Amino acid sequence: MQNILVTGGTGMVGTVLKQYLNYNESVDNFYFISSADYDLTDMKQVEECFTERKYDKIIHLAALVGGLYKNMNNNSLMLMKNLKINANIIEACHKYNINRGIFCLSSCIYPKEPSKFPMTEEQLCESEPHESNEGYAYAKRMLAMLCKHYNTDYGREYICVSPVNLYGAYDNFSISDGHVIPGLINRMYKTKNKIAPYDTEEFEVYGSGIARRQFLFAPNFCAVILQFLYNKNIKNGIYNICDDNEYTIKQIVSLIAKILDFNESRIIYNKKYSDGIIKKTVSNKNLKELIPNLKFTNIEKGLTLTYEWFIQNLNDIRE
Ligand code: NAP
Ligand code: GDP
């Protein structure tokens, strides 16, 4: 039995991973930590974490995360906190001889004007990320660089996974800071049920609705993380994690409205809000070559399950 450290253990992905492991009994001991256990921006606390017990592997999920509008308004904070977390974690992994790990990037750190679509992994640093999330993007790009060079210099097996927009149970449903799916579900629910200050006749979607996004249901991502962790043929590199689909925000709004039984004639688009990057499509060719039989939850089912969870946990959601 090995000891596996999971940072970001109280976040959406960390919590879903914990549940997944409860259903599919694991051979190893997983330890889930959050910022309440150790502030990973502080190297002293990181050292305390890594000396509490000997860890054999790591799944590094911890990050300061947010939707478009949180990123736009907090670039310095996203850069500083995430740089510190990532540098501290890699330094400690090497110092305490954790030879293998899965490290989490994101498709939103890719170039804003790539040479081609869909973007493959070697395009990650070919040009600048979108200005809306420069801080988050460069901190994640540095994590990719750290993994690459510790692998080259010290023979480590630090593997980077780069998922597209994730959604599901335990997401952050904050209307100001969250991602588009949880933000829309929460706000549309409040408008439909006339909960102030969202008890308006019109329902405003932020932006024009033409931006395109790829989405992945968080449990599908957790299944991939575990397959990567245990697949001895994978020793390094970056892997985009997504299915074959891409949607406009308008399509997502319409799907959510159907699930909530919300009258679509009440929906308007406010172009005063930024659309963020219009398109950031990444390729899943390398993922499919490695794991050809991957199963993905379709968006209608994933959104329905997410909404059901939201309704069942109204008093406990993060917002
Ligand atoms: P999340 O729900 O916001 O959870 C973030 C986790 O990081 C929480 O457990 C949080 O702990 C922890 N954390 C934050 N700052 C910390 C600090 N200073 N010290 C220790 N722990 C800290 O995020 P998520 O959606 O699960 O994301 C997981 C990973 O996937 C992240 O690396 C993220 O960048 C990546 N990702 C997410 C998306 C998405 O759409 N959500 C898309 C692509 C990639 P507390 O609960 O104690 O604050
Ligand atoms: P991104 O994929 O990193 O840009 O992050 P988001 O998940 O926040 O998605 C942002 C996209 O959704 C932009 O095109 C926004 O204009 C659009 N959007 C529409 N309504 C909302 C909303 O209520 N919240 C958020 N976060 N985005 C919204």
Side-chain angles (χ1 to χ4, degrees), residues 1 3 9 13 37 49 137 149 171 179 278:
M1 266 205 174
N3 289 337
V13 178
D37 303 305
C49 169
H149 289 292
D171 207 341
H179 284 94
I278 292 297

Side-chain angles (χ1 to χ4, degrees), residues 210-316:
I210 64 163
R212 307 179 79 84
R213 295 289 184 271
Q214 292 161 287
F215 293 98
L216 182 64
F217 192 43
N220 296 168
F221 181 47
C222 293
V224 172
I225 289 177
L226 291 174
Q227 293 207 41
F228 271 60
L229 187 72
Y230 289 116
N231 185 335
K232 293 205 171 91
N233 296 322
I234 310 171
K235 296 191 189 305
N236 51 41
I238 299 170
Y239 296 89
N240 295 333
I241 314 295
C242 60
D243 63 16
D244 297 320
N245 303 311
E246 187 177 45
Y247 302 88
T248 62
I249 297 299
K250 270 191 182 162
Q251 288 173 307
I252 294 300
V253 170
S254 179
L255 287 171
I256 292 175
K258 282 194 180 70
I259 291 165
L260 270 72
D261 195 21
F262 188 89
N263 185 345
E264 287 192 54
S265 67
R266 293 172 63 187
I267 297 172
I268 56 162
Y269 287 83
N270 187 341
K271 293 184 185 165
K272 288 191 186 129
Y273 285 85
S274 169
D275 281 329
I277 196 166
I278 292 297
K279 183 176 158 80
K280 52 177 173 174
T281 325
V282 292
S283 159
N284 61 8
K285 187 168 171 281
N286 290 333
L287 173 67
K288 279 179 156 179
E289 273 171 20
L290 268 179
I291 317 178
N293 54 354
L294 260 182
K295 297 261 183 301
F296 293 103
T297 306
N298 74 44
I299 190 89
E300 288 87 354
K301 178 149 189 226
L303 288 174
T304 304
L305 290 170
T306 304
Y307 180 60
E308 284 170 5
W309 182 89
F310 170 84
I311 291 296
Q312 282 157 17
N313 294 275
L314 268 178
N315 297 327
D316 299 319

Side-chain angles (χ1 to χ4, degrees), residues 8 10-13 35 38-40 61 104 136 140 166 318:
T10 47
M12 170 173 64
V13 178
S35 67
Y38 306 99
D39 178 357
L40 300 177
L61 304 172
C104 198
Y136 178 81
K140 289 275 189 194
L166 300 166
R318 275 196 289 162

Side-chain angles (χ1 to χ4, degrees), residues 66-69 71 108 132-133 165 174-181 183-184 187 203-209 211-213 215 249 253 273-277 280:
L68 168 63
Y69 304 109
N71 270 290
C108 67
S132 59
N133 69 346
N165 289 34
S174 162
I175 286 168
S176 56
D177 290 348
H179 284 94
V180 57
I181 287 179
L184 284 176
R187 203 151 49 81
F203 178 81
E204 192 175 73
V205 177
Y206 304 154
S208 69
R212 307 179 79 84
R213 295 289 184 271
F215 293 98
I249 297 299
V253 170
Y273 285 85
S274 169
D275 281 329
I277 196 166
K280 52 177 173 174

